[in-house]
Structure formats: structure tokens, C-alpha cells
Amino acid sequence: MIIATAGHVDHGKTKLVEALSGVDTDRLPEEKARGLTIDLGFAYVALAGGGVLGFVDVPGHEKFIRNMVAGVTAIDYALLVVAADDGPMPQTREHLAILDLLGVTRGVVAITKADAVSAERIAEVRGAVVELLAGGGLEGAEMFALSALSGRGVAALRGHLDDAAENFTAAPPSGRFRLAIDRVFSLTGAGLVVTGSVHSGGVALGDRLLLAPAGTEVRVRAIHVHDRKAENARQGDRAALNLAGPGARKSAIKRGDWLVHPDAFAVTRRIDARIRVLPGEAKALKHEIPAHMHLGALVTPCRVAILESREIAPGASALVQIITDRDITAHRGDRLILRDQSARRTLAGGRVIDPFGPERGRARLARLAVLRAMSAATPADALAALLPLFPGGLDLLRFQLACNLDAAEGAALFAEAEMVTAGNASALAGMAPAHWRKLGHGIHAALARWHERSPEALGANEFELRRIFPERPLAQLFNAAIGELIETGKVCRAGTILHLPGHKAELAAAEMKIWRRIVPLLEAGGLRPPVVWEIAPALDLAADEVERVLRRAATLGLIVQVAKNRFFLPEALRRLAEIVEQLAGDSEDGLFLAGHYRDRSGIGRNLTIELLEYFDRAGFTRRTGPARRTLRPAAALFGPSGENS
Ligand SMILES: Nc1nc2c(ncn2[C@@H]2O[C@H](COP(=O)(O)OP(=O)(O)OP(=O)(O)O)[C@@H](O)[C@H]2O)c(=O)[nH]1
Ligand SMILES: [Mg+2]
């Protein structure tokens, strides 16, 4: 059980931790010289029953509140320290408010320096503390009057903490591994070590992790949990990880960074959240106010955009978008604290709803509805509430990442949800059944209209057709809907052209004559067919005539226009798409680079770029940074191998 101290400067937190654990956690020379805690201190006591008391000692001075907040994220138990002579003071209140905002609801109160005051004074301070706790998460917490100097009363508090630790059961680990880094140092012999609280999931020796937000890779060489060597660490633990690998450089890691499972890597600068303004604030929180956000062990300057109104009154809560000055990482449900611009006062706190806040339309009614849906208690409830709001389908992997669900949790959730899914392991999309039925009807109707307007064309490309839909159906779902229509005979496909079964279109006799002469040249070109200005002189025709026939052939599905002058026979395009599929399949994460494609296909640099951009437009691939992944099988778009079309 991890216990963090809280309370005003000089009220005896560090002395009390020493009396309870035997460890003086003020290690820094400056702390010793000034008799003041500056940074976090840690002490661990192994209990006879197998449990551990892990103490995080925080500084009380208002100047070091940022360190205090870093220390109390992901703790289990609060030890509020109030000196009997002073009674509650400003940081007693502020620390308490921070604990409340972070959702700490279990704890105990120590009234220290009891040796220095009368019994009446102790009774008076007890009364003041009861009042202070009323209405908050620690309301009704037990109180122990004691002296850390004489030791009187310390044993009773220690007994209370031992009991609490014995009865404590940590929440079962869930989600992918995330550790909020609060210290980084080098150990001679071992190398780089980071420490922090494990917010979710678990980690084992040898695991590969990413440093967030930087994205560099590290490997876990050794693990200590609560000062003991371990094979793994899990949610709720305080862990020290010895790191190896290219990212394991002290200069590249600082407090506030995270170590995360590669699939939990999420970088953002816009967090949509619900926050509550402290009731004690004198004024309402204004729109676009600059502030500091604390999340995990991180603190960063930010702006707070209020989404539902122009201001938030003291004690009230509202949806906001927090725009940070730099890249950060966050997930749904993460607790955060807002302090004022000069870092003097705690203003508000709350929880992340969506770590990927949009830049545009963030306060639109439709977006607010999405945020309310995502605020549901569980990911399953959130998903059920979201699906009706997305007529074009929902990116399920983004949802999984936003909620930090591991693979098994994601799979179970998606299997149970009432929805149609499409895509693959690296691009999964979901749609509510009602939207799915509407989409099928919509595609059929859109094709009928297409034939009406362009009777001379055989039909439409899948992506030409998809563009017509205002709800912007996700490519995977749109393609799956078409697959279903083809299977049930309601739609036909010729090459990449879709049409209704009754509809026919052919080349005119003159066009057919030219087309028959072009085909052998294209066939001979294989995967690198000649462009228009190469075909025309070879056939002794005008370039614009060749282009006209090729365009016409494209509307009939005989050929596919990939770029301005570039046309591919469906068979060649299918083979090129299959090479993409092989490349993506060969790579561990499903990603491939244009350079690899050029080497594998042998079609050269320029054609590679034209072709991959076409595949992106066609909804076959999606680009993320320098790499691409496939969204669905090549066969679903370009026909199965060996198909004659
Ligand atoms: N008389 C008396 N003095 C105490 C007691 N506990 C702490 N002190 C004294 O109070 C002073 C501050 O104690 P610390 O434990 O450093 O206080 P702190 O809360 O850790 O202070 P910060 O970390 O700077 O916020 C020291 O001089 C202690 O000797 C106590 O129970 N009785
Ligand atoms: Mg101290």
C-alpha cells in the first residue's frame, strides 16, 4: 500500500515518516541545510504479513507543490499531517483539495507536535480538522495525536497503517503498461534507472517499452518493486526500472515522461476533459485562461478552453479542452490538476475524457454529445453510447488506445458490443447495426443515381462512390458493405468499377478499335505500363485521342486511372496491391515504407509514389508519418487472385 504524506510546510511530515519507517527521506544536502523538504522522499517497510508500507514524503512548501502533485498521483492512502500548534494552514487546505481532485478517498490524519501544546489545543485542532474534511473524500478519517520527537502516539498510528495495509486489496491490473516517471538517475554498474508509479498494466524483465512523448525505445533490464528485486511490476506498484537501449539516456528522460507499452503510445496536445473548479475559488474560471496542468508526474503550461459556456463558477464542473504547450501523453480517465498561470494556486481538477481532442469543432453540439458518451462509467458503456453517434463508423483501435485497453480487453469488448466490424488488426472499424443497414441501402441507391446521371459509364469506383456520402463512412466499413452487396448479387464489380446488375455500357466501335491496339502495349509493360505520351507515338495516334479512349475504358472498368497519364490494367494493379499486402504482412507492426515497396516491386521511385498515393485514395492503405499500413485485403478492392476482369 502506497501512502503519501500531505500537509503544510514544517508540520512534521518528514519527521513522522522517519518515526514510522526509520528512514530519513530528506536526502538532498539543501534539504538537510534548510530543514525543509524540496523533492519527494521514499521509504519502504516490509510487513510481517507480506504487505508493504510504501511512504511517499512530499514537500509542504508552496513553492514545491509541483513536486507534491507528482508524488500523490496513483497513491492508495493519504497521511494528512497537521501540527497541533499551527492547526490547519493554507497548504493543509491546498494539499487536501489536490487529494480530493485526484480521487484519493482513503487516509488518516496525524496531529503532530502534540508534545508542544495543551490537551485543550489538541481538541481544538481536532475540531478544526473535522470541519476541514467535511464534504471531501477524506471525511470521517481517523485522527491520531502524536509526537514524532518523543514517539508518543506513533505506535498507534503505525498499528492503524499496518491494519489498513493488511486489509488493502489493490485493484486488479488492467490496460497496457504505463509508468509515470518521477526520478531518473544513473547507478554505477547498473546504468540508467527510472522510478515511478505504475498507473496501469504490468511489465516484465526484457519487455520493450516506449518513452512517451519522445517515442524512443528502451528495454527493461532489471526491476525493483518497493526496493526489492523483482521479475515484474504491476499496477499500483512503485517501481524502479533499469533501462537499456537507444532511448536509455539520462539527458533524454525527465520527470513527467512516461514509460509505456508500445501499443499504449498516444501523443497529444489537446485533451478533452471534465473539470471541477474548487468551491473556495473567489472567481469563476474564464474561457481560454492560461494555466498549468499536472497529469501523472508531469506539469506543463496550457490553455483551458471551456466548451459549454464562457466560464465555470466556483464549485461547478464543465467540459473543457486543455491545450498544452508541448506534446504529452494521456488516456481516458486520467486525473489532472489545474493550477494558475503563476503556479501559486490550485484552481480545478478532473479527468480526461478523450485524449485526442479535435482542433476544429471542439464545442459543436455533436462533439459535446460524443464527449458525454465517452464519459460513461465503463469502456463498454462508452462504446455503446458512441456507436449511434457515428453513422460513418467508429475507429475502434483509436477508441481502444484512448481507453488504454490491452489486446484481450479490446477483443472482448468488441466481441460483446452490438456492432458490425470491418478491417484488420491494425485498422479495425465498427458500426451500429442500424447505420450498417442504412449504408447498404445508401450504396445501392447511390449506384442507381450514378447510372441515371452517367448512363454511358459502366459505374463508379468505390472511392468515387464513398465521397458522395456526407457521413464519410470509414473505408473498411464501406468496402465490407460493398462486399456484402456483391455477395448477395445486388451489386457487381468489374475491375475496380461497381455497377448494378442490370446496367451495361460498352465502348463504341471506333473506340474499341483503338483500345484493342493499346491493350498489348499495356500488357507488355507489366507492372510498369507505358504512359499516354509513350503509347500515342507507338501507335501513331494523337495523345489526346489515346487519353480519351483510356478514360472511357476506365469508366467501363477495363482499366484503372492511377495518375494523370498513368493507367493500369486491373490485373497489374491487383498484383501491385498484393505486393503491398506481402510487405505489410512481413513487418511485425504491419507498417512498410515507400522505399521498401520500390525495392520489392522494382517499379522505380516515381511510379511507387504515384501508386502508393493512389492506394491511399482508394482506401487500400493509410499513411501514418513515413510509413503505411493496409486497411483491408487487396482482394476486397482489386478482386481475388486469378480473377479475370
Ligand atoms: N516538538 C515537536 N517538533 C516536531 C515534531 N515533528 C516534527 N517536529 C519539528 O518540526 C520541524 C519540521 O519537521 P519536518 O518533519 O521537517 O516538517 P515537514 O512537514 O516535513 O516540512 P516540509 O517537508 O518542509 O514541508 C523540525 O524542526 C522537527 O524537528 C513533533 O512531533 N514535536
Ligand atoms: Mg518534509
Side-chain angles (χ1 to χ4, degrees):
M1 188 175 81
I2 307 297
I3 305 157
T5 59
H8 198 71
V9 63
D10 238 17
H11 274 200
K13 297 179 289 298
T14 305
K15 270 280 167 306
L16 179 56
V17 168
E18 186 176 357
L20 289 165
S21 70
V23 179
D24 176 8
T25 55
D26 277 351
R27 303 152 294 128
L28 302 173
E30 198 190 344
E31 291 180 323
K32 291 259 182 278
R34 291 168 69 184
L36 181 91
T37 303
I38 295 170
D39 211 341
L40 302 172
F42 301 94
Y44 300 96
V45 181
L47 299 179
V52 169
L53 291 183
F55 290 98
V56 180
D57 182 42
V58 309
H61 197 289
E62 63 164 319
K63 246 175 80 184
F64 308 125
I65 281 236
R66 57 187 294 163
N67 297 338
M68 180 271 174
V69 179
V72 296
T73 80
I75 58 158
D76 306 309
Y77 211 79
L79 171 54
L80 180 68
V81 174
V82 184
D85 48 358
D86 277 353
M89 295 289 279
Q91 267 63 54
T92 316
R93 292 188 190 89
E94 186 167 17
H95 284 198
L96 200 57
I98 288 168
L99 291 172
D100 248 346
L101 293 172
L102 292 176
V104 179
T105 55
R106 282 179 289 196
V108 62
V109 181
I111 296 176
T112 52
K113 308 195 185 182
D115 56 284
V117 298
S118 65
E120 290 77 51
R121 174 63 188 163
I122 292 176
E124 201 176 289
V125 171
R126 274 179 185 272
V129 173
V130 167
E131 235 169 80
L132 192 65
L133 299 186
L138 291 177
E139 176 162 14
E142 254 187 83
M143 280 188 229
F144 292 84
L146 53 84
S147 166
L149 287 198
S150 74
R152 216 169 138 192
V154 172
L157 173 61
R158 176 62 203 270
H160 171 93
L161 292 174
D162 288 5
D163 287 349
E166 293 302 343
N167 293 324
F168 175 74
T169 38
S174 69
R176 286 167 171 142
F177 179 75
R178 296 173 70 215
L179 176 140
I181 297 173
D182 51 37
R183 280 183 304 168
V184 189
F185 50 88
S186 301
L187 271 188
T188 29
L192 189 76
V193 176
V194 303
T195 72
S197 344
V198 182
H199 278 233
S200 60
V203 70
L205 285 176
D207 279 1
R208 208 170 59 85
L209 301 172
L210 293 182
L211 192 66
T216 43
E217 194 179 307
V218 296
R219 202 171 42 74
V220 180
R221 194 153 58 184
I223 302 176
H224 276 76
V225 170
H226 308 152
D227 263 0
R228 287 200 182 163
K229 220 171 163 45
E231 303 265 294
N232 38 53
R234 48 186 253 161
Q235 186 173 318
D237 288 341
R238 272 204 57 84
L241 305 184
N242 176 208
L243 303 177
R249 280 179 297 115
K250 191 172 171 219
S251 60
I253 309 179
K254 56 192 176 314
R255 170 176 291 175
D257 288 342
W258 294 77
L259 275 176
V260 301
H261 183 284
D263 291 337
F265 185 73
V267 172
T268 176
R269 288 190 180 208
R270 290 174 186 273
I271 304 177
D272 288 350
R274 178 174 287 285
I275 61 165
R276 184 167 61 86
V277 174
L278 288 178
E281 276 295 284
K283 286 188 272 176
L285 191 95
K286 295 263 186 290
H287 181 59
E288 289 285 355
I289 192 174
H292 283 93
M293 182 187 73
H294 297 251
L295 193 155
L298 169 92
V299 51
T300 174
C302 68
R303 276 181 305 120
V304 184
I306 302 169
L307 302 181
E308 296 166 294
S309 55
R310 300 307 291 176
E311 55 176 44
I312 314 174
S317 78
L319 294 171
V320 297
Q321 181 167 88
I322 298 165
I323 303 121
T324 56
D325 281 14
R326 53 189 167 110
D327 283 350
I328 64 151
T329 177
H331 290 85
R332 177 182 181 270
D334 285 352
R335 304 264 185 180
L336 59 91
I337 300 275
L338 293 172
R339 301 192 79 236
D340 73 324
Q341 186 178 18
S342 46
R344 301 287 298 277
R345 257 172 37 249
T346 299
L347 304 174
R351 299 182 92 152
V352 175
I353 297 173
D354 186 352
F356 308 118
E359 186 173 352
R360 279 191 218 156
R362 66 188 179 198
R364 280 202 198 119
L365 286 178
R367 174 64 192 169
L368 297 181
V370 166
L371 288 180
R372 292 202 184 89
M374 275 196 84
S375 314
T378 66
D381 291 345
L383 181 59
L386 279 174
L387 284 167
L389 303 178
F390 286 83
L394 187 67
D395 181 338
L396 293 178
L397 296 187
R398 204 171 161 82
F399 177 79
Q400 179 173 359
L401 178 62
C403 296
N404 186 28
L405 306 174
D406 69 21
E409 290 162 345
L413 179 66
F414 299 153
E416 266 168 44
E418 219 182 296
M419 64 178 173
V420 177
T421 57
N424 55 34
S426 64
L428 196 65
M431 187 178 265
H435 293 318
W436 175 254
R437 285 189 295 274
K438 229 181 121 200
L439 181 61
H441 295 311
I443 292 170
H444 198 270
L447 269 178
R449 279 200 307 277
W450 194 282
H451 291 329
E452 229 172 82
R453 265 181 228 153
S454 323
E456 74 294 346
L458 180 60
N461 265 327
E462 184 174 322
F463 59 96
E464 287 170 335
L465 206 56
R466 185 156 61 91
R467 272 206 300 255
I468 302 175
F469 287 73
E471 62 270 34
R472 298 179 176 280
L474 294 177
Q476 304 94 301
L477 289 156
F478 195 74
N479 181 245
I482 285 171
E484 203 178 273
L485 290 167
I486 291 174
E487 228 165 79
T488 52
K490 293 185 180 118
V491 166
C492 305
R493 189 187 57 209
T496 58
I497 296 287
L498 302 165
H499 63 95
L500 294 183
H503 186 78
K504 286 199 176 61
E506 282 166 353
L507 290 175
E511 291 167 338
M512 183 59 98
K513 254 174 87 181
I514 297 178
W515 170 247
R516 288 225 170 95
R517 294 174 64 203
I518 295 175
V519 170
L521 294 184
L522 293 172
E523 280 174 352
L527 300 184
R528 306 186 63 170
V531 291
V532 170
W533 52 266
E534 291 166 330
I535 297 172
L539 299 179
D540 206 14
L541 289 167
D544 57 349
E545 195 169 6
V546 169
E547 192 176 338
R548 196 176 51 75
V549 172
L550 285 171
R551 280 181 188 282
R552 175 83 185 114
T555 68
L556 301 179
L558 299 171
I559 198 164
V560 182
Q561 182 165 17
V562 163
K564 190 165 179 309
N565 285 312
R566 185 83 67 180
F567 294 79
F568 279 86
L569 289 170
E571 169 64 14
L573 198 59
R574 187 181 55 68
R575 271 161 56 207
L576 288 164
E578 281 170 4
I579 296 174
V580 166
E581 206 158 52
Q582 285 158 14
L583 261 186
D586 288 352
S587 94
E588 205 175 293
D589 49 10
L591 293 170
F592 69 95
L593 297 170
H596 295 152
Y597 187 80
R598 178 200 57 209
D599 296 343
R600 182 78 71 98
S601 65
I603 61 172
R605 185 171 170 276
N606 291 344
L607 188 50
T608 290
I609 291 168
E610 282 183 1
L611 187 71
L612 293 180
E613 283 176 357
Y614 167 79
F615 283 150
D616 291 343
R617 281 198 308 280
F620 173 48
T621 52
R622 179 181 294 156
R623 197 176 160 160
T624 35
R628 282 182 170 80
R629 60 175 82 251
T630 63
L631 298 182
R632 48 212 161 126
L637 269 172
F638 304 106
S641 283
E643 184 186 80
N644 297 317
S645 53

